Amino acid sequence: MKLLRYGLPGVEKPGLLDDEGRVRDLSAVIDDLAGDILTPEGLGRLAALDPASLPLVDGVPQQDLRLGPCVGRVGKFICIGLNYADHAAESGMDIPAEPVVFSKWTSAIVGPDDDVEIPRGSVKTDWEVELGVVIGKAGRYIDEADAMDHVAGYCVINDVSEREYQIERGGTWDKGKGCDTFGPLGPWLVTADEVADPQNLRLWLEVDGHRYQDGNTRTMVFTVREIVSYLSRFMSLQPGDVISTGTPPGVGLGQKPPVYLKPGQTMKLGIEGLGEQRQRVAA
């Protein structure tokens, strides 16, 4: 299934994408794509529905029908840094021996095509296309062998980053990662049963038509399975938590000389089978 949330910001309704690319309304069945709806039992109930029996929503998604973040009421937005060896190299950093963990604030979350705002005073706002993993089954101390049973599905994430705030201002990375609008999610949550191998997905990003990133999840240092198991040693994972798994090379920081976003530019990014995002950069 491809599950989504549509409508105006803050009042999105749950829906699904049918086989003809039209949105079907789920709001008579569930209140939101969040929490227990994302458990195996909750997704099983949605999978048993006949999409043709659900009301058809007017508009074409991502054209005249706005899509919101594909997960509602996100509890934790957890990110993994330097998870592609070639991205670590372009950043001038060593390949990590263990996953580098940081957070994006949930207030950063926006829809897949909403504007990305450059923070006041920022001159180093950057892009990062990433595979998002949405937790569906709660757990702690999860064995790697069981880790994939805890995944509800996958989505596209743009881990927008302010490099001065992240690297040059001391302390943790988080303050350069969690600015408002720095976490576009979607366009849809693709359930795990539709993704044959999350470690073989092409992902790419363009700015104003120039392709900067063009990678594949097979070059991850730590796999989805390893990441889910690792994180569960330090926190409980709960339905609706979102994990952003790192970015391939080609970020602005890694260009020679570095290239950063400016108001008026457009980012376009996508992951094989998971859809595309398009964001205008605003001051």
Side-chain angles (χ1 to χ4, degrees):
M1 290 182 293
K2 291 182 174 68
L3 301 170
L4 54 87
R5 300 168 71 246
Y6 70 93
L8 296 174
V11 291
E12 292 95 347
K13 295 180 179 180
L16 62 80
L17 195 72
D18 68 19
D19 290 341
E20 297 180 15
R22 301 174 302 181
V23 174
R24 299 283 180 165
D25 181 29
L26 283 170
S27 59
V29 182
I30 57 174
D31 70 332
D32 203 354
L33 286 171
D36 289 346
I37 301 302
L38 300 171
T39 63
E41 297 76 19
L43 293 178
R45 289 194 294 272
L46 296 183
L49 297 172
D50 176 9
S53 69
L54 300 169
L56 190 62
V57 178
D58 291 336
V60 178
Q62 298 187 278
Q63 293 185 26
D64 55 355
L65 177 63
R66 175 190 176 267
L67 299 186
C70 60
V71 181
R73 303 196 298 269
V74 174
K76 294 190 288 295
F77 194 172
I78 312 158
C79 302
I80 306 298
L82 306 175
N83 197 32
Y84 290 70
D86 32 13
H87 170 58
E90 73 172 353
S91 302
M93 300 182 186
D94 294 333
I95 298 172
E98 295 190 29
V100 174
V101 181
F102 62 94
S103 295
K104 291 177 89 79
W105 321 125
T106 56
S107 53
I109 295 173
V110 291
D113 307 308
D114 291 344
D115 288 355
V116 166
E117 298 175 2
I118 295 179
R120 291 182 185 177
S122 165
V123 294
K124 295 184 179 180
T125 297
D126 202 350
W127 56 82
E128 296 190 5
V129 59
E130 306 203 0
L131 173 66
V133 177
V134 179
I135 295 298
K137 179 182 176 182
R140 298 174 64 201
Y141 303 106
I142 300 166
D143 289 337
E144 282 188 24
D146 302 323
M148 304 308 281
D149 295 338
H150 292 259
V151 175
Y154 304 90
C155 66
V156 181
I157 294 177
N158 189 354
D159 175 19
V160 186
S161 308
E162 212 296 341
R163 301 304 187 188
E164 180 190 0
Y165 302 173
Q166 175 191 357
I167 299 169
E168 302 173 31
R169 298 283 290 272
T172 67
W173 286 8
D174 303 64
K175 62 178 172 282
K177 294 287 192 171
C179 301
D180 288 2
T181 75
F182 273 24
L185 299 185
W188 23 77
L189 167 64
V190 181
T191 52
D193 59 296
E194 291 198 6
V195 180
D197 183 2
Q199 302 307 147
N200 187 26
L201 298 174
R202 184 174 171 232
L203 62 174
W204 54 272
L205 182 144
E206 299 174 350
V207 179
D208 288 346
H210 178 83
R211 183 156 296 195
Y212 284 96
Q213 293 188 275
D214 200 346
N216 193 291
T217 57
R218 63 172 171 262
T219 67
M220 281 184 181
V221 178
F222 303 102
T223 64
V224 171
R225 182 184 300 277
E226 292 170 320
I227 290 167
V228 170
S229 176
Y230 182 85
L231 291 175
S232 75
R233 303 179 204 170
F234 307 102
M235 67 192 83
S236 61
L237 296 177
Q238 295 149 345
D241 287 347
V242 175
I243 304 168
S244 202
T245 59
T247 198
V251 300
L253 173 67
Q255 307 303 308
K256 299 188 187 304
V259 176
Y260 296 113
L261 293 166
K262 296 180 176 65
Q265 293 186 306
T266 298
M267 290 181 283
K268 188 176 179 180
L269 58 148
I271 301 179
E272 178 183 355
L274 303 185
E276 297 182 357
Q277 300 183 353
R278 183 184 183 93
Q279 295 114 24
R280 186 180 70 92
V281 181

